[in-house]
Amino acid sequence: MTTTEHLAGQWREWRHAHVSTMFRPYGWTALVAQYWLEETDRDVTFDLLPGTWSIAEGRIIHTPPATGPGLSVNGVHPDGPVEIVPGRNQTYGHGASVPVYYGTLEVETLLRTTQDGQNLYGVRVRDPREATRAEDAGVTAFDYDPAWRLPGVFTPSGRVEHDAETVEPGVREATPRIGTFRFELNGTSHELILIGKDTATGVQPVAHVRDRTSGPVTYGAGRVVELHFTDETCQTIDWIDFNYAVALPCAFTNFVTCPLVPPENHLDIEILAGEKRPAQTVARTKTYQPRAQA
């Protein structure tokens, strides 16, 4: 049986690392733009970036300007069209993408879909000079409470692809489902759908939940909790610890496509654990406008 002191100590270290990662120079709060391309787009220009952008056979192609500064792609200034590969940028450490900069700005691309299933391609820009500071965002959390570390049972389903609606109207994001996790609280059983987040070290099980604190006490669009496999075959999860519940990046920036909470994960309980609602709010505006049909 793990002691409360040990659990709380591990949580404090994790909490410090999580906040540091969120508010790092090229973290989520440094995002300053999110542009969109569709399959037929050619030679599109973006306000903050040089050159032009196109989609060619499902690839995002950047063409440098004829004169003046251009992008640095994996340490080189390309002298002709170059593919900017989607994926988690080097800040988050996985995927096939490479470091891309325009001066101080960092650039990354991403794949999404529209409401009707058409491919959609995003280009994001981060500016470390604009990154929010944790103290300005007003990020706080409940003290660690071992009562919110709850045993349960994972039922794997295999990977089931699912495109979820997001906080960006008209844009859907792949949120593959890997099974369910059932736990009991005060004699009542609850079941959550788990998402399988791809990371540099493998699949990370994640529960995205809303509860009765969502809005008045915690972030209104719900919070996420990372769970952990306890066997080498990734078929067993023994605990969910709501002390590790955190707000999604959309709590801190407009330029993201955070998925909406699955209806099955709306809990009719108060989870008084984990991260509280940030003091600073984000005014959400649309970044995606569907192209007019000819």
Side-chain angles (χ1 to χ4, degrees), residues 15 18-19 22-23 29 132-142 213-223 245-253 274-282 284:
R15 180 79 196 149
H18 170 76
V19 173
M22 178 64 72
F23 294 93
T29 71
T132 306
R133 298 187 308 167
E135 53 267 36
D136 293 335
V139 179
T140 59
F142 291 95
T213 71
S214 300
V217 180
T218 63
Y219 181 48
R223 295 178 293 169
V246 295
L248 290 164
C250 50
F252 307 103
T253 177
E275 196 165 82
K276 298 180 182 180
R277 184 180 65 186
Q280 186 181 83
T281 59
V282 173
R284 193 153 304 285

Side-chain angles (χ1 to χ4, degrees), residues 12-232:
R12 291 187 192 100
E13 287 293 315
W14 173 88
R15 180 79 196 149
H16 174 79
H18 170 76
V19 173
S20 297
T21 297
M22 178 64 72
F23 294 93
R24 67 198 300 179
Y26 289 107
W28 290 109
T29 71
L31 284 163
V32 293
Q34 181 170 252
Y35 304 115
W36 296 102
L37 296 163
E38 297 185 351
E39 291 281 6
T40 58
D41 282 336
R42 303 289 185 273
D43 300 324
V44 176
T45 59
F46 297 135
D47 292 342
L48 295 180
L49 300 176
T52 61
W53 298 77
S54 304
I55 301 300
E57 299 180 345
R59 299 185 303 152
I60 302 171
I61 304 297
H62 169 70
T63 301
T67 60
L71 297 186
S72 165
V73 181
N74 206 23
V76 175
H77 291 113
D79 56 10
V82 59
E83 180 181 7
I84 308 298
V85 178
R88 298 278 182 177
N89 68 349
Q90 81 278 5
T91 302
Y92 293 93
H94 75 30
S97 59
V98 298
V100 179
Y101 294 97
Y102 176 52
T104 304
L105 306 179
E106 184 188 59
V107 182
E108 68 175 353
T109 61
L110 54 144
L111 297 178
R112 297 292 185 265
T113 57
T114 62
Q115 291 289 93
D116 59 358
Q118 300 301 307
N119 287 333
L120 192 60
Y121 307 85
V123 179
R124 284 181 180 153
V125 182
R126 285 178 164 90
D127 186 342
R129 298 164 296 187
E130 300 295 327
T132 306
R133 298 187 308 167
E135 53 267 36
D136 293 335
V139 179
T140 59
F142 291 95
D143 290 336
Y144 188 87
D145 183 351
W148 287 104
R149 185 175 187 258
L150 302 169
V153 176
F154 174 56
T155 302
S157 65
R159 187 181 179 103
V160 179
E161 299 300 329
H162 177 76
D163 283 338
E165 292 186 63
T166 72
V167 296
E168 179 67 32
V171 177
R172 300 177 75 90
E173 180 171 347
T175 56
R177 297 177 174 184
I178 61 171
T180 60
F181 185 81
R182 181 176 292 275
F183 66 95
E184 281 196 7
L185 180 66
N186 298 327
T188 301
S189 180
H190 304 275
E191 185 172 84
L192 298 171
I193 289 174
L194 297 190
I195 296 166
K197 182 175 72 174
D198 293 322
T199 74
T201 57
V203 174
Q204 171 72 62
V206 176
H208 185 189
V209 302
R210 274 181 59 88
D211 64 276
R212 286 193 292 180
T213 71
S214 300
V217 180
T218 63
Y219 181 48
R223 295 178 293 169
V224 291
V225 185
E226 293 185 348
L227 294 85
H228 301 280
F229 294 115
T230 53
D231 69 326
E232 294 182 356

